Amino acid sequence: MDAHEQADVSGDDREGRAALAQALRMESELRRVLESASTALWSAERAPAADALAGWEFRYVSPLLTNIAGRPIDRPFRWAEAIHAPDRNRYLRTIRGLLSSSEAETEQVYRVVAPGGAIRWVRDRLQVVRDSSGCPIRLTGSIVDVTRQRAIEHAVRQSERRFRALVEKGGDGIVLLDDGARVLYASPSVRTISGHDPTAIVGTDCCGYLSPENQTSARQLLRELLRRPGEDLPWRGRAHKADGAAQLLEVNACNRLADPSVRAIVLNYRDVTERNRLEDDLRQAAKMEAVGRLAGGIAHDFNNLLTVILGNLELVRGGVDGADADDLLASAETAARQAADLTRQMLGFARRQPLQPTVVDVNELVLEQLSLLRRTIDPRIAIEFEPDPDVNPVLADAVQVQQILMNLCLNARDAMPEGGTIAIEAWNAEVPPGAHIDGPGAEGYICLSVADSGQGMSDEVRAKVFEPFFTTKEIGRGTGLGLSMVYGVAKAHGGWVECHSVPGSGSRFDVYLPYAPPDLTPPPTAANPAAAQGQGQSILLADDEPFVRIMAEAGLIQNGFRVETVADGAAAVDAFRAAKQPFAAVVLDLTMPVMTGREAFEAIRTIDSNVPVLFASGYSTTEQRPDLPPGTAFLAKPYTPSQLATALLRILRARDDSDGGGI
């Protein structure tokens, strides 16, 4: 061989070795990739003349398969020895079926047991390669450890079963709605709660099952809920069952439309009809107990006021003359007004009547009350008050401020059973440091203070003095409402109350009320009743109380009116119809026999649609005044002749100003 030929051979040899080295590198790289994969791979070939399950030899087994099995795998079907016994026969049947059929692949999930007993779940994907005659010649497998996935799936199924049991077996109704309030799902408990078939209501408008008066508020709730994803909103209203019976529902609604696992508005609701009835019964029982306790305290206060009224009138009738008689009558009148104010105050406490604020001079208010207080309170107790001329007026309901003073003085009296001193003071107080005040109190406060020289209070008692019905007195001597009313009135005015007390050293209550705005002025002094003249106008007055008719008739005649009185609503209608000259106005008591004031008003207005009508009542105005018809007004009892005349002149003037229109 010449040199040239030797060179060619050497070149071919080098290229071959290079190709072999590259192939080995590729194989090594491929092996690293396969062995780092999360899937265990294996490959086996069938030996000539091998039967269906024997004579197969591995060509490749990834280390991961050995790790999964926990043992070496040297033959393909020795793998079956690692399979959990209950799953093994199913695995072998699957392979036999694959080899004997024309299928190319199959997949199954089963358990593998390691020598130590640990069980793992795997997903096995088998593929078969056949020769031209259809005979299997190669098997490949890919096995994935799905133990963690199976555990998660099992936990999810368990959780789903628990929540399904909670939803379907629980007592509360669960309803899912779309954004149009249509039912997407209703739990089986819906049938128990309402009688409606849970499957039959799917697709219907949920608000259609509510009482008509509650549907508007329910739709408002759903509209608000759509603007607040993820939030819960409560609702309470009435619905009707499948049999038509009414029920009270308590609902919690939550917007879960943005949650991909729910995508609905979730309603959780329950029937609280019976619970509400029991609560009403309990409240009624508590109310009756409170009324019983309250009656004793009110009777005590009224008896004091009636003592002043009856005693002073008896003295006047007995022949007291001159200035003394005038003083006694003035004192009786003040006590009577205080009794009327106390009645109004109690009605306001029971029915939460709105405040009637005016500009009040606290000095004058206290001075007006002193005479009544000194006649009401034990004479062994001295009452001291020195007016401060610099005290600013307050914007307040004068009657309720009087009640504050009365309650505080009576509380001080009870703290001094052996006598002592009550010191009343009023001064301009500064706005508390750091306080942010908007509205009442922006200008500042006055402090109305009532101090006693009594036994004082412990810290435990002082912490509870403003709680309703809390009292340290024995049964029958106090209701526990006096100081709670003081607290409530002060808060309603935009003020507050402070209590200072030391056992054995007396107590002091400081009530802070806001200044009246500087652009307001005190109300003018009441006009002389004689100035309210009726100029001969004819008035029809209906009231079932004879003493009220006598007083009202005398007062109206004194003020220049002509008056016809009747005792009930039906008589008022008859008198109005029979009158030769039309009445200028009608006064109707709201609660009369035969025909009520409202009924009489309706009948009279069919005769004359423009006649002014003044309603009067001794009941709470919040119950009697709503939606007063045009051309009418309301006067609360007790009233004086001058107040009645003034109210009539006001509605007559309003009629003239509007040419017969409403007031």
Side-chain angles (χ1 to χ4, degrees), residues 46 52 93-106 126 128-131 133-137 139:
R46 184 179 184 183
R93 284 196 305 271
T94 301
I95 292 184
R96 290 191 181 98
L98 178 64
L99 295 175
S100 62
S101 71
S102 60
E103 298 294 327
E105 64 181 48
T106 187
L126 284 171
V128 61
V129 179
R130 305 175 190 277
D131 60 17
S133 64
C135 181
I137 60 174
L139 282 172

Side-chain angles (χ1 to χ4, degrees), residues 15 38-39 54 113 210 248 255 301 387 402 447 472 579 631 646:
E15 291 176 1
S38 59
T39 302
V113 183
L210 304 177
L248 182 64
N255 182 349
D301 291 345
Q402 289 174 346
C447 178
T472 58
T646 300

Side-chain angles (χ1 to χ4, degrees), residues 433-485:
H436 175 70
I437 301 172
D438 184 15
E443 302 296 329
Y445 291 85
I446 67 100
C447 178
L448 176 62
S449 176
V450 176
D452 65 68
S453 59
Q455 55 197 7
M457 294 177 281
S458 66
D459 291 342
E460 291 77 12
V461 172
R462 186 166 53 83
K464 297 180 179 180
V465 291
F466 298 120
E467 294 180 6
F469 304 114
F470 174 77
T471 179
T472 58
K473 303 168 190 172
E474 62 269 22
I475 295 176
R477 293 208 57 196
T479 63
L481 286 174
L483 293 178
S484 67
M485 291 174 66

Side-chain angles (χ1 to χ4, degrees), residues 236 238 248 272-288:
R236 188 181 176 99
R238 299 196 175 276
L248 182 64
V272 294
T273 308
E274 181 63 17
R275 188 186 78 185
N276 189 69
R277 185 188 66 78
L278 293 175
E279 289 174 350
D280 284 345
D281 290 347
L282 181 61
R283 281 192 293 268
Q284 183 65 21
K287 185 187 298 183
M288 295 307 297

Side-chain angles (χ1 to χ4, degrees), residues 99-437:
L99 295 175
S100 62
S101 71
S102 60
E103 298 294 327
E105 64 181 48
T106 187
E107 182 176 288
Q108 57 180 321
V109 177
Y110 52 84
R111 290 165 289 180
V112 175
V113 183
I119 296 178
R120 307 185 72 82
W121 283 90
V122 297
R123 178 179 290 109
D124 191 353
R125 182 184 177 90
L126 284 171
Q127 291 181 316
V128 61
V129 179
R130 305 175 190 277
D131 60 17
S132 58
S133 64
C135 181
I137 60 174
R138 183 179 298 111
L139 282 172
T140 61
S142 58
I143 298 176
V144 179
D145 187 339
V146 294
T147 305
R148 179 176 174 79
Q149 179 182 338
R150 293 281 296 193
I152 293 173
E153 291 173 352
H154 177 73
V156 169
R157 285 194 297 271
Q158 287 289 95
S159 177
E160 182 180 342
R161 282 194 290 268
R162 284 195 297 270
F163 280 104
R164 183 173 293 276
L166 182 65
V167 170
E168 297 187 352
K169 305 297 183 183
D172 287 2
I174 308 293
V175 176
L176 305 185
L177 308 178
D178 64 14
D179 56 4
R182 289 179 295 274
V183 178
L184 300 174
Y185 166 81
S187 66
S189 52
V190 168
R191 186 191 302 274
T192 304
I193 294 173
S194 66
H196 295 290
D197 183 349
T199 58
I201 68 175
V202 172
T204 62
D205 178 7
C206 79
C207 294
Y209 300 96
L210 304 177
S211 298
E213 67 273 14
N214 291 137
Q215 292 183 13
T216 299
S217 65
R219 295 192 190 280
Q220 289 174 346
L221 172 83
L222 293 173
R223 284 194 294 270
E224 179 66 19
L225 203 61
L226 291 175
R227 295 193 291 268
R228 301 163 68 174
E231 293 193 30
D232 292 22
L233 290 177
W235 183 83
R236 188 181 176 99
R238 299 196 175 276
H240 50 82
K241 295 184 176 182
D243 60 3
Q247 61 181 159
L248 182 64
L249 300 181
E250 196 172 77
V251 183
N252 185 73
C254 183
N255 182 349
R256 290 288 183 266
L257 290 167
D259 185 343
S261 64
V262 182
R263 294 190 184 280
I265 293 173
V266 182
L267 302 183
N268 185 301
Y269 75 95
R270 62 185 59 183
D271 185 340
V272 294
T273 308
E274 181 63 17
R275 188 186 78 185
N276 189 69
R277 185 188 66 78
L278 293 175
E279 289 174 350
D280 284 345
D281 290 347
L282 181 61
R283 281 192 293 268
Q284 183 65 21
K287 185 187 298 183
M288 295 307 297
E289 180 184 0
V291 167
R293 296 173 64 183
L294 184 63
I298 295 175
H300 177 269
D301 291 345
F302 264 98
N303 283 336
N304 283 333
L305 296 171
L306 291 174
T307 298
V308 174
I309 296 169
L310 295 174
N312 288 356
L313 291 178
E314 181 177 303
L315 289 173
V316 172
R317 291 186 64 187
V320 177
D321 297 322
D324 289 340
D326 291 340
D327 289 343
L328 291 172
L329 288 173
S331 178
E333 181 182 5
T334 300
R337 291 183 184 277
Q338 185 64 47
D341 292 341
L342 180 59
T343 301
R344 189 176 77 86
Q345 177 70 18
M346 293 311 302
L347 289 173
F349 178 80
R351 298 173 176 83
R352 300 178 182 176
Q353 286 181 272
L355 298 175
Q356 299 177 8
T358 58
V359 178
V360 176
D361 185 320
V362 177
N363 284 328
E364 290 185 4
L365 182 142
V366 175
L367 290 171
E368 289 175 0
Q369 290 288 99
L370 281 179
S371 177
L372 177 61
L373 288 170
R374 285 173 174 145
R375 282 180 168 83
T376 303
I377 290 176
D378 190 329
R380 294 175 297 172
I381 296 175
I383 303 178
E384 299 176 352
F385 174 65
E386 186 66 34
D388 181 349
D390 296 326
V391 170
N392 289 309
V394 296
L395 184 63
D397 186 316
V399 172
Q400 296 207 11
V401 176
Q402 289 174 346
Q403 194 63 45
I404 285 177
L405 184 62
M406 174 65 78
N407 287 352
L408 290 178
C409 289
L410 293 178
N411 183 74
R413 174 204 63 187
D414 294 339
M416 299 180 293
E418 304 301 325
T421 301
I422 296 176
I424 304 173
E425 295 182 83
W427 67 86
N428 295 328
E430 295 182 357
V431 175
H436 175 70
I437 301 172

Side-chain angles (χ1 to χ4, degrees), residues 550-565:
I550 293 170
M551 180 274 294
E553 181 178 14
L556 291 178
I557 292 173
Q558 186 181 32
N559 282 279
F561 292 96
R562 291 186 295 110
V563 187
E564 180 175 345
T565 63

